[in-house]
Amino acid sequence: MLEKDNVWLTQSRMAELFDINRSVITKHLINIFDDKELTENSVCAIFAHTANDGKKYNTIIQHI
């Protein structure tokens, strides 16, 4: 999702973009938040996602 100058992606989509495993993205994000380089609420948002079966789920996405 594009919003102003930000691209919002799930961790899975980031992993696709960089051709790596999603767990690598997770580890990097944990380190970034632990080191206080960024705060989670400044780069994460919760969006509702409707699955194929019609159920709605909240998904956390980050902007890069």
Side-chain angles (χ1 to χ4, degrees):
M1 184 171 87
L2 181 62
E3 182 182 293
K4 297 185 183 178
D5 293 330
N6 298 309
V7 176
W8 291 84
L9 299 171
T10 62
Q11 290 180 14
S12 295
R13 294 290 188 196
M14 279 191 234
E16 280 182 45
L17 176 66
F18 296 109
D19 194 29
I20 57 175
N21 190 291
R22 188 191 60 78
S23 64
V24 176
I25 298 293
T26 301
K27 289 177 187 177
H28 280 291
L29 289 171
I30 289 169
N31 288 335
I32 288 167
F33 299 142
D34 284 349
D35 292 344
K36 308 247 187 295
E37 290 179 54
L38 294 170
T39 59
E40 193 169 356
N41 64 356
S42 70
V43 294
C44 297
I46 298 175
F47 284 84
H49 169 76
T50 303
N52 291 337
D53 62 5
K55 292 181 183 176
K56 293 185 180 177
Y57 301 91
N58 288 333
T59 302
I60 297 174
I61 63 172
Q62 289 85 24
H63 73 79
I64 61 169

